[in-house]
Amino acid sequence: MEFGFTSEQEMLRKSFAEFLNKECPADLVREMIEDEIGFSPSLWKKMAELEWLGLTYDDRYGGMESSFLDLFILFEQIGKVLLPSPLFTSAVMSGLLINDAGDDNLKDSLLPRIIQGKKILTLALLDEQGRLDADEATIEAVQSQGNQFLVNGTRLLVPYAHVADEIIVCAGVKGHGTGGSTLLRIDGKSEGLQTTFLNTLTGEKTFAVRFDDVRVPAGNVIGDVGRGHLHLRGILPKATVLKCGEMLGGLERVVEMSVDYVKERHQFGRPLGSLQAVQHHCADMATYLESTRLIAYQAAYLLSEGLPCETEVAMAKAWASEAYRKTTWIGQQIQGGIGFTEEWDMHLFYKHAKASELAFGSSWFHRAHVFKNMGLS
Amino acid sequence: MKFVFTREQENFRQEVKDFVAAEMAAGSFTVDSAGLVARESREFSLKMAERGWIGLTWPRQYFGQGRSYVEKMIMNEELMKYQAPIGYHFLADRQIGPSLINFGTEWQQSFFLSRIVKAEKEAQFCLLFSEPDAGSDLGAVSTAAVEDGDVYVINGQKIWTSEAHMADYGWMLAKTDFDKSVRKHLACSEFIVDMKSPGITIRPIINSAGAHSFNEVFFDDVRIEKKYLVGKKNEGFRQIMAQMDYERAGMERLLQNYSIFDLLKKHVQKMSDEGENGEFYAWVKDQMAQLEIEYAIGRLLCYKNAWIIDQGKKPTTQAALTKAFCTQLEQRLNNVATQILGPISQIRTGTEWSPFPVDLAACYLWGPSYTMQGGSTEILKNIIAQRGLGLPRG
Ligand SMILES: Cc1cc2nc3c(=O)[nH]c(=O)nc-3n(C[C@H](O)[C@H](O)[C@H](O)COP(=O)(O)OP(=O)(O)OC[C@H]3O[C@@H](n4cnc5c(N)ncnc54)[C@H](O)[C@@H]3O)c2cc1C
């Protein structure tokens, strides 16, 4: 058991933090909510140049061959500044899927461009009820003549669909031969593909995507026909834990911000932070932070080392979801009226906490998973 | 960052596990709950002493084994999961030893440490801190220790003294500077008191769980030799704060009721979709998973404390956070257990209808003490806020 960073990890953490603090102030986050693209292309380019998009990938594709734990450390810092960027959906989710399930041709042609930030991919996973329906995908891909699929259906909450060069769906393949859940790459400019901006509580760039007889070449299958859900399941633990990293970073920032505020703000002739009700709120926040840090880093470490950790991953997401949300509630409370303004940063995290809680399975979902692994049913 | 144990650590864990299993098989103890530190067996302690498991972390020149706190945490985890009766030496090992190593005189060290690690007769300690008017505000102790030639004369009263009726020695905080202009935190000192000294009266207090575990202790002109003063005169308060870290950092705050969780798991295992009301069963699953998650976190917090101490750093904030987290979890555990078992959970052990061989009702009754002894949750939160986050004192 060791709870400190190695000096390399510490250096890495510092360099992530320094860059992001400088390049991604809260003003940029706000600006990007109004912005049409929703992220800064110049910042995206810089991150690609720093090779952050290829952190865990093979050298062969231009990757850095860093550990998953390093990537987790990056995501912690990303969460701390709430960096708006397609990094997660493109370079992590889509990239990992291709890396794990794709054939060599696909990897050789696509991964370098994802890593260089030249191509943006996104994943369209949720059905119209917001469910991850990969096991029995309601989006339909009918194999037609001419070696292509006809894709029909709707996906919700697809990040950055408006700028995506390709959208990956997990579709239910029908028609002759083998069928079932299958991953398909769909050109973002395809005829019959329609994206509609969804105004959500975070204001991030997320979309409804409709597929109306969209023609997709048969060669666009990632991995095996009928095994899309399995390919997807393979990357979900990593995606979930990186989400936890992002949440941990956000949580950290909320604690910093709130504690700073109550040290400065005076009422009754004394700093708010000298009042015990406020101090105990802060102690609770610190406890949520420390507990989340330990349980999330544990999952990240075990994943990184390739050790079995299904339960630990579920524990991390179940706990982080609750802890982050509760901490933002406390943060809102002790920052008073100013905390409830657009101008103050607090709300950005309040929103992020809710959106993250709802992503990749709520805490109830993950607790059910923990229970299943307790061997009591 | 490493969330795995080394091979040596795993081997050590196995060694402790085997020992505990053999002792249980031999009937030297049965799994109980709620009275972990109170369950004592000198015989059991002697067996641990033989293995060098008392004073495990103390440096060798202090009769210890010089091993890490992480290893000690591993050992305690395995002992405490099954409620091994370690009460005879536990407190002395946890906090008397480290305090003497830090602040004791050579004589005190060689006399007491050697006896503690061997689980000798007359090596059991109790803590004489709290008084009727000095609980959370420990600096307010008024029990007086007045110099008189070669001795200190003690007068006053202590309260809530766990196991005073079993202990050979008491570790006491008493007032030694009576100048009103001196701040109270700079006016007290630590002493070791022979509990058989003339002038000491011990009266039992029955707690609300129906047990006699703590006491009132009265001092009436008790004379103690000056060699029993620990550390510097008038620095007792500062010294005690260091000791409290050890009192709060450990697994005992997480695992006192682990046997209840174990039994609860077995109980839940017998449930099924067919046999239970669906809504109830769904709720049970969710609660069990939540407890499992919180145990996992509590465990990591404890190991982090050990790691911090091994780094030569003070775990003050971390230990406060850990104790607050873990003791609240233990309270919730017993509450959830009663809710899962329903009305029969109230039946105490000793009848054929008791739900568990361990007294769940008693555990529930002990609940309020967890978040009070060793520093209340509120005091711990003050520490987290002020020491940890740097918020100003009120
Ligand atoms: C089972 C058990 C065993 C014990 N064993 C021992 C022992 O062996 N030796 C020993 O010396 N003592 C022992 N104690 C005493 C224990 O340390 C005290 O009970 C504890 O420190 C609280 O003191 P108090 O009881 O006087 O409560 P008080 O200090 O009067 O506190 C009452 C309530 O007020 C709150 N409060 C007090 N001050 C503050 C503050 N500044 N901010 C916010 N809230 C505050 C407390 O959190 C608590 O909720 C034991 C207690 C129990 C329950």
Side-chain angles (χ1 to χ4, degrees):
Chain A
M1 286 281 174
E2 261 174 54
F3 296 90
F5 289 121
T6 63
S7 52
E8 293 87 45
Q9 286 166 342
E10 186 53 40
M11 264 168 52
L12 203 60
R13 196 192 64 77
K14 266 209 180 121
S15 69
F16 291 150
E18 270 166 24
F19 178 86
L20 288 168
N21 285 334
K22 181 163 147 275
E23 301 283 338
C24 185
D27 286 346
L28 179 78
V29 180
R30 278 195 190 77
E31 213 179 287
M32 287 304 117
I33 289 169
E34 305 302 324
D35 186 79
E36 204 146 301
I37 297 180
F39 66 97
S40 151
S42 67
L43 186 48
W44 180 246
K45 205 166 153 240
K46 279 188 203 168
M47 291 194 305
E49 278 160 15
L50 288 166
E51 303 186 298
W52 289 4
L53 276 50
L55 221 47
T56 60
Y57 293 95
D58 267 14
D59 177 47
R60 163 170 179 196
Y61 310 116
M64 298 275 276
E65 305 198 344
S66 297
S67 69
F68 178 75
L69 194 58
D70 291 345
L71 186 60
F72 180 86
I73 293 172
L74 172 61
F75 269 84
E76 183 182 351
Q77 296 309 318
I78 284 178
K80 226 172 155 175
V81 299
L82 296 179
L83 171 79
S85 111
L87 194 136
F88 185 66
T89 195
S90 183
V92 175
M93 295 278 290
S94 307
L96 284 179
L97 255 188
I98 289 163
N99 190 59
D100 291 0
D103 58 26
D104 284 346
N105 270 344
L106 180 62
K107 290 201 265 191
D108 285 334
S109 69
L110 209 46
L111 283 179
R113 280 185 284 168
I114 292 176
I115 290 170
Q116 289 157 19
K118 293 192 174 135
K119 255 188 192 283
I120 291 174
L121 272 68
T122 192
L123 276 173
L125 294 178
L126 304 180
D127 69 13
E128 283 173 284
Q129 272 71 46
R131 289 176 307 217
L132 178 70
D133 67 352
D135 288 358
E136 278 173 59
T138 52
I139 194 157
E140 235 183 42
V142 179
Q143 242 169 345
S144 68
Q145 64 279 64
N147 226 7
Q148 61 183 12
F149 296 105
L150 271 188
V151 177
N152 279 289
T154 303
R155 305 277 88 173
L156 292 189
L157 297 165
V158 184
Y160 297 103
H162 62 319
V163 293
D165 298 296
E166 292 182 6
I167 298 175
I168 299 174
V169 297
C170 192
V173 165
K174 300 233 167 79
H176 36 257
T178 47
S181 166
T182 302
L183 294 171
L184 295 176
R185 294 186 295 121
I186 301 177
D187 190 314
K189 313 240 162 18
S190 304
E191 204 176 311
L193 188 155
Q194 190 193 339
T195 59
T196 313
F197 174 67
L198 294 174
N199 193 7
T200 61
L201 70 81
T202 61
E204 284 168 324
K205 291 292 171 286
T206 190
F207 295 82
V209 181
R210 260 177 98 118
F211 303 92
D212 234 339
D213 277 340
V214 173
R215 285 162 204 284
V216 179
N220 280 20
V221 170
I222 305 173
D224 302 322
V225 172
R227 294 174 60 86
H229 56 307
L230 300 177
H231 296 318
L232 201 57
R233 219 172 282 158
I235 66 152
L236 280 181
K238 286 187 177 166
T240 305
V241 169
L242 291 176
K243 210 11 122 182
C244 291
E246 210 182 281
M247 295 164 87
L248 170 63
L251 214 165
E252 229 165 82
R253 186 71 196 108
V254 173
V255 178
E256 279 174 15
M257 189 192 296
S258 308
V259 170
D260 285 350
Y261 180 77
V262 300
K263 279 180 185 167
E264 291 297 314
R265 164 88 175 157
H266 281 61
Q267 285 291 281
F268 306 101
R270 58 202 277 197
L272 282 182
S274 68
L275 297 165
Q276 197 174 54
V278 173
Q279 290 193 349
H280 286 194
H281 274 318
C282 291
D284 289 343
M285 293 203 287
T287 305
Y288 285 131
L289 173 57
E290 178 63 10
S291 50
T292 303
R293 181 181 293 140
L294 291 174
I295 202 86
Y297 263 100
Q298 171 173 262
Y301 171 82
L302 294 174
L303 261 183
S304 195
E305 295 291 308
L307 295 164
C309 57
E310 232 188 85
T311 299
E312 286 82 356
V313 170
M315 283 180 166
K317 182 60 169 63
W319 183 261
S321 295
E322 302 272 332
Y324 188 17
R325 189 198 64 238
K326 287 177 186 165
T327 303
T328 61
W329 282 355
I330 300 172
Q332 290 283 174
Q333 182 69 15
I334 64 179
Q335 288 174 77
I338 189 88
F340 190 58
T341 60
E342 162 62 27
E343 163 204 351
W344 208 249
D345 295 346
M346 187 56 224
H347 67 94
L348 299 170
F349 295 90
Y350 180 78
K351 295 166 180 172
H352 180 242
K354 177 47 78 180
S356 313
E357 175 193 350
L358 300 176
F360 298 102
S362 66
S363 36
W364 173 83
F365 172 88
H366 287 285
R367 280 198 298 272
H369 214 75
V370 169
F371 183 82
K372 211 180 80 208
N373 289 350
M374 286 170 78
L376 304 180
S377 49
Chain B
M1 295 272 175
K2 269 205 186 97
F3 287 83
V4 288
F5 295 97
T6 64
R7 185 190 298 263
E8 295 81 61
Q9 288 168 343
E10 291 291 4
N11 289 344
F12 181 53
R13 183 185 292 282
Q14 193 57 47
E15 198 184 328
V16 181
K17 259 192 178 140
D18 292 345
F19 168 74
V20 171
E23 287 298 310
M24 272 172 91
S28 92
F29 70 95
T30 53
V31 175
D32 198 343
S33 202
L36 175 69
V37 177
R39 295 185 77 214
E40 52 180 68
S41 146
R42 185 164 165 251
E43 252 170 73
F44 191 88
S45 292
L46 282 168
K47 289 179 194 165
M48 285 187 56
E50 242 172 66
R51 289 167 170 74
W53 291 354
I54 304 177
L56 191 76
T57 57
W58 307 354
R60 288 191 176 269
Q61 72 264 34
Y62 296 112
F63 308 95
Q65 303 293 323
R67 294 174 70 171
S68 69
Y69 270 88
V70 167
E71 284 172 298
K72 181 168 179 186
M73 199 61 81
I74 290 170
M75 177 181 81
N76 280 344
E77 184 174 19
E78 294 307 322
L79 290 165
M80 288 171 181
K81 260 197 224 157
Y82 303 102
Q83 308 293 309
I86 54 179
Y88 186 78
H89 67 270
F90 181 73
L91 186 134
D93 185 11
R94 175 180 72 185
Q95 63 198 98
I96 302 301
S99 295
L100 284 175
I101 290 167
N102 281 336
F103 307 112
T105 62
E106 233 168 84
W107 171 76
Q108 287 166 351
Q109 288 166 345
S110 72
F111 184 84
F112 288 107
L113 297 178
S114 64
R115 280 170 175 71
I116 294 169
V117 294
K118 286 188 237 142
E120 283 190 6
K121 279 192 189 141
E122 313 212 342
Q124 216 180 352
F125 279 78
C126 63
L127 301 175
L128 298 159
F129 298 169
S130 306
E131 295 182 5
D133 290 325
S136 300
D137 184 9
L138 190 54
V141 288
S142 63
T143 294
V146 179
E147 282 192 70
D148 181 12
D150 290 342
V151 299
Y152 280 96
V153 182
I154 316 292
N155 279 289
Q157 182 197 346
K158 294 290 174 180
I159 194 168
W160 318 127
T161 318
S162 300
E163 311 309 316
H165 55 302
M166 319 279 279
D168 308 298
Y169 292 98
W171 186 281
M172 179 177 68
L173 187 69
K175 200 166 180 70
T176 39
D177 190 332
F178 303 92
D179 180 345
K180 289 225 162 52
S181 65
V182 174
R183 280 185 48 218
K184 61 186 181 185
H185 296 103
L186 303 173
C188 29
S189 309
E190 288 185 297
F191 297 91
I192 294 171
V193 188
D194 184 336
M195 293 301 281
K196 287 186 297 298
S197 308
I200 293 184
T201 311
I202 301 170
R203 281 200 208 133
I205 305 176
I206 303 305
N207 70 23
S208 57
H212 170 206
S213 76
F214 51 33
N215 304 271
E216 288 180 288
V217 182
F218 299 88
F219 296 85
D220 187 10
D221 281 335
V222 176
R223 299 171 76 79
I224 55 176
E225 287 176 59
K226 281 192 170 163
K227 68 175 180 183
Y228 289 100
L229 168 75
V230 181
K232 294 214 179 85
K233 192 180 170 188
N234 295 329
E235 292 208 0
F237 189 79
R238 187 181 61 83
Q239 292 172 201
I240 262 186
M241 287 302 115
Q243 190 177 139
M244 296 308 282
D245 290 346
Y246 294 100
E247 194 175 335
R248 291 168 184 158
M251 279 256 179
E252 61 275 21
R253 307 299 184 187
L254 180 69
L255 295 181
Q256 279 206 90
N257 293 276
Y258 193 78
S259 53
I260 295 289
F261 192 41
D262 233 16
L263 289 163
L264 194 60
K265 284 182 183 171
K266 294 197 175 93
H267 176 80
V268 169
Q269 197 163 21
K270 286 185 261 153
M271 294 179 156
S272 66
D273 285 324
E274 298 77 51
E276 305 298 331
N277 170 302
E279 283 173 38
F280 174 64
Y281 190 33
W283 175 82
V284 168
K285 290 180 185 176
D286 197 49
Q287 292 292 318
M288 291 300 283
Q290 181 68 18
L291 289 169
E292 181 87 346
I293 294 169
E294 292 181 21
Y295 266 106
I297 291 171
R299 186 169 180 265
L300 290 172
L301 287 169
C302 288
Y303 276 108
K304 185 160 176 187
N305 285 333
W307 177 82
I308 290 173
I309 298 173
D310 284 336
Q311 305 293 302
K313 297 196 184 116
K314 276 194 182 181
T316 309
T317 306
Q318 192 75 18
L321 194 154
T322 303
K323 197 216 162 221
F325 184 94
C326 294
T327 51
Q328 292 177 81
L329 159 58
E330 290 210 292
Q331 282 180 341
R332 270 199 302 283
L333 164 72
N334 292 326
N335 182 47
V336 169
T338 59
Q339 290 169 338
I340 290 179
L341 287 164
I344 61 162
S345 67
Q346 301 169 84
I347 305 171
R348 312 229 7 201
T349 42
T351 79
E352 61 181 295
W353 295 285
S354 322
F356 287 165
V358 173
D359 202 334
L360 168 59
C363 292
Y364 183 77
L365 292 176
W366 276 88
S369 72
Y370 304 153
T371 49
M372 190 57 55
Q373 60 185 324
S376 71
T377 303
E378 290 73 25
I379 293 299
L380 299 174
K381 286 186 182 183
N382 291 349
I383 293 173
I384 300 168
Q386 293 166 9
R387 304 268 306 249
L389 300 172
L391 292 172
R393 272 172 205 284

